[in-house]
Every structure is written in C-alpha cells, then in structure tokens.
Amino acid sequence: MKGQGTINCDAVVLYRRKRKTYSVVTFLTKQRGILHCSIPQRRWQTLKNAGYLQPFSQVYITLLPNGEYYDLQQLDGRYLIRSLETDLDSICYASFAGEFISTAFAAEERDSALYSLVLRFAELIRTKPVPLAVILLGWQLLSLAGFVPSAKAYQQADGVARFVKEFRETTGFNLSAAAQQAVGHILLYDWHEATSVQLPRTLWRELERGLFAYTTVQLGQELSSLKFLHEMQAKAFD
C-alpha cells in the first residue's frame, strides 16, 4: 500500500516506456522493490539529471505517490553506463533486460536477492560488454523467478534432465550437452570483475536463442524490447 508522503529510495533504472504525453520509467528500488513512475514530457525536459534515466544507471530518487504511478520529485545520479549512450547493440540488450525484470517480478515487493543481482550486473557493465552480460543475467533471472532450477537444484542428479525436458516441450528446441553444462556454470556465476565466462560463439548463440525463447514462453508474451532487438538486428558480438 502506497504511503501518503514522499519516499526516498536507492534505485537502479530498469526501463522507459514512452507514451504520447508522458513516459513511464520503472525503477528497481532497494527499499520497496519495483516502482513505476510517470514523467510528463514537459517535466522530462526540465528535470535535473534526466540523463541518468537510462537502463541500469544507479540513482537516488524522491517519489510521491499519485494513483497508479509515482511522481518523480527529485533525482540524484550515482553512475551511468556510458556504452548505453552510444552503442545500439548495448541499448537493445539492456532494454530487454530491463523490461524482462519489470515484467517477471511483482511490483512493490521488496526483493533483496533481485536488487543485489541487478546491482552487481549494473556495476559490472560499466566496464564489460553489455550484450554478453545480459545473456548471463537473463539465465540467472529465470532461475530467480522460479522458471529455471536454482544453481544447487540444477546440479542434482535429475535437475538437468527435468529442466531440459521442460525446455524442449515448451520451446521446441533442444539444448546441446555443452549448453546444458554452460547453464549450470552461468547459474553459479558470481559477477566478480576478475571472473570470466569463456564460451565459443556457437554456444553463446545457442544460449541466447534459448534465453529469448524460454523467456517468451514463461512470460506468455514476446517483450516489445525483444521485438525491437530483432528488428534492429542487434548482436551480442561481431
């Protein structure tokens, strides 16, 4: 239930959805989970630090409850992702990740595990390629949302077999033995800058295709950001 006064939150920007006269910006906040904020276009043009309202910037926000959405009273930027200002491939993949989170997880429910994961991802992509990091994040998000077994359950004797069966029946795709093993490693990935995931390009492509297909099945829709990614022919690597 929304309170009557202003609230202050540490937040990561997830996604912006443009309307005719306003935009809806979705934040993942540390204190209150996912919150949706309505910003009129005129307000956007005069808003201080509006440049930080791009996916996976870390911000500090002051919000005022106002019906279905919140009003953004103040915005202070902590950092932003420079590649998301200029690189179309990175923009497309980040938009997918932001909309995925906004859709798969309930609004206004504090989720420390989700916030911690997204924050570590956002910090890493300040210096690492966004598209490949989104593929790693996507599989971990599927697990956190309960669509893929946890890392521990996946490692159990029948964990892989049960998931692969479900995956094949719902998407029509088979995951190769190498991809099945890679998913297990991805679920254990710790997001430390010194830790890398080294996979051949063919395997990255298979994991990406599987991620997009399984996400669409589990969410019951193809995300608009995913459609845009395909239309722009965005690629995770050259």
Side-chain angles (χ1 to χ4, degrees), residues 12-184:
V12 176
V13 182
L14 290 181
Y15 190 67
R16 176 186 179 185
R17 190 182 299 275
K18 294 183 180 180
R19 304 300 189 190
K20 187 174 182 180
T21 60
Y22 65 98
S23 292
V24 176
V25 177
T26 300
F27 297 96
L28 175 61
T29 70
K30 181 179 181 179
Q31 293 85 353
R32 294 178 177 240
I34 294 172
L35 302 178
H36 304 289
C37 183
S38 175
I39 306 176
Q41 301 296 26
R42 289 185 179 181
R43 167 67 170 153
W44 193 288
Q45 293 169 5
T46 60
L47 180 64
K48 183 180 179 182
N49 296 323
Y52 283 91
L53 291 175
Q54 65 180 30
F56 299 103
S57 295
Q58 187 181 6
V59 295
Y60 186 78
I61 52 178
T62 301
L63 303 176
L64 180 67
N66 184 13
E68 182 182 0
Y69 300 113
Y70 288 85
D71 289 336
L72 181 61
Q73 301 292 299
Q74 185 172 334
L75 169 72
D76 295 306
R78 299 279 176 80
Y79 65 74
L80 48 75
I81 312 303
R82 293 296 180 185
S83 63
L84 296 182
E85 297 180 301
T86 57
D87 183 70
L88 181 58
D89 290 337
S90 295
I91 292 169
C92 288
Y93 278 81
S95 295
F96 163 73
E99 189 181 11
F100 178 10
I101 297 166
S102 305
T103 306
F105 296 88
E108 305 207 34
E109 292 186 6
R110 186 174 182 271
D111 189 330
S112 58
L114 176 61
Y115 185 80
S116 176
L117 171 60
V118 172
L119 191 62
R120 283 179 286 156
F121 164 79
E123 291 174 347
L124 188 73
I125 61 173
R126 296 170 72 182
T127 57
K128 301 295 184 181
V130 173
L132 294 182
V134 166
I135 297 173
L136 300 178
L137 176 68
W139 282 103
Q140 290 197 359
L141 288 171
L142 284 171
S143 179
L144 194 59
F147 301 137
V148 171
S150 68
K152 182 178 180 180
Y154 193 85
Q155 303 299 329
Q156 293 176 354
D158 62 343
V160 176
R162 285 188 289 109
F163 167 67
V164 170
K165 182 176 183 291
E166 162 74 11
F167 181 89
R168 182 176 61 251
E169 291 175 349
T170 56
T171 67
F173 297 147
N174 285 311
L175 279 180
S176 67
Q180 295 172 32
Q181 185 177 32
V183 168

